[in-house]
Amino acid sequence: YDKEVRKYIEIFTHTRKKEFEKIIGLGDLYFPVFEEYLDKYDLPFELKYLPVVESSLNPLAVSKSGAVGLWQFLYRAGDLFDLEMNSFIDERKDIYKSTDAACRYLKYLNTIFNDWQLVLAAYNSGPGEIRDAIQKSGGKINFDELKPYLPSQALKYVPAFMAANYVMKYHEEHGIKPQLPPVDYQSLDTIFI
């Protein structure tokens, strides 16, 4: 907890309060899937909040840089993790396939950095940026010590993730009431076309 995390908590609980009411409600729909895959890959369950920061739990989200889906995969990253993308289909929007790919990517990043804050920073800005920051720092491998060398987006991303974790868990204390989606996870089914 620091001033940056506090800043994002304020943004999420005040400026974006209405949006977070929807996001928290959507959690009932998506988190069971995320937890299943996080468990499969032996990853911390708190990572289920990553798509809150990435896409506001919108599977159709597209960023300015062209990242798509809940987990915001760029085309090249999606291809590296075997997500099919063509004129007819974009599996970056598929909750199951993109979640599996994201978990494999997070597991891979953790084998490189062995520090969850650095893993989050690498997920956002790329592992090369984090490796460069480590090299420029003279080999430091602590997020706080690397701050002067990290790209600004990574510096913002990690505190935003921490704040999202807090707000998702303690939203009631901030007067945020979840807006539940019209369906819940148990009432969904899959059809094959």
Side-chain angles (χ1 to χ4, degrees):
Y1 182 82
D2 61 18
K3 66 179 182 168
E4 285 299 308
V5 174
R6 180 69 195 167
K7 178 178 86 173
Y8 282 102
I9 290 172
E10 290 293 324
I11 290 169
F12 296 158
T13 58
H14 294 12
T15 311
R16 293 177 58 191
K17 183 177 179 178
K18 289 287 183 200
E19 182 182 355
F20 261 78
E21 288 176 344
K22 291 178 187 172
I23 291 169
I24 293 164
L26 287 170
D28 288 348
L29 194 59
Y30 293 114
F31 293 158
V33 175
F34 299 164
E35 289 170 354
E36 181 181 332
Y37 283 93
L38 290 166
D39 185 50
K40 175 182 174 181
Y41 289 100
D42 197 27
L43 294 167
F45 276 16
E46 288 81 6
L47 292 173
K48 71 184 175 185
Y49 301 124
L50 201 73
V52 169
V53 178
E54 287 289 336
S55 65
S56 298
L57 294 183
N58 178 1
L60 305 178
V62 180
S63 75
K64 293 175 189 172
S65 63
V68 173
L70 288 163
W71 297 90
Q72 289 291 283
F73 276 103
L74 291 167
Y75 185 88
R76 184 157 160 70
D79 193 42
L80 282 171
F81 288 93
D82 305 318
L83 295 176
E84 186 177 349
M85 296 159 288
N86 58 44
S87 300
F88 302 104
I89 190 167
D90 188 342
E91 289 181 343
R92 295 175 295 175
K93 297 176 185 176
D94 182 302
I95 182 176
Y96 301 100
K97 292 181 180 180
S98 67
T99 300
D100 185 74
C103 288
R104 287 185 285 135
Y105 187 36
L106 289 162
K107 187 95 173 169
Y108 166 74
L109 291 172
N110 193 45
T111 61
I112 295 171
F113 299 109
N114 199 30
D115 177 281
W116 286 110
Q117 289 180 317
L118 295 183
V119 167
L120 292 169
Y123 188 91
N124 176 256
S125 60
E129 294 282 348
I130 306 310
R131 281 192 200 107
D132 289 348
I134 291 170
Q135 187 175 23
K136 288 176 189 172
S137 75
K140 294 178 177 153
I141 54 170
N142 177 287
F143 182 76
D144 289 327
E145 293 176 336
L146 284 175
K147 283 181 178 179
Y149 309 98
L150 291 170
S152 63
Q153 66 185 43
L155 287 173
K156 295 174 185 173
Y157 188 78
V158 173
F161 174 79
M162 291 178 177
N165 249 286
Y166 170 81
V167 173
M168 295 300 287
K169 290 178 187 174
Y170 300 105
H171 60 273
E172 290 176 7
E173 278 121 20
H174 295 275
I176 298 175
K177 296 179 175 77
Q179 285 185 8
L180 299 176
V183 295
D184 68 1
Y185 180 71
Q186 298 302 323
S187 63
L188 294 177
D189 204 349
T190 304
I191 59 168
F192 295 94
I193 300 173

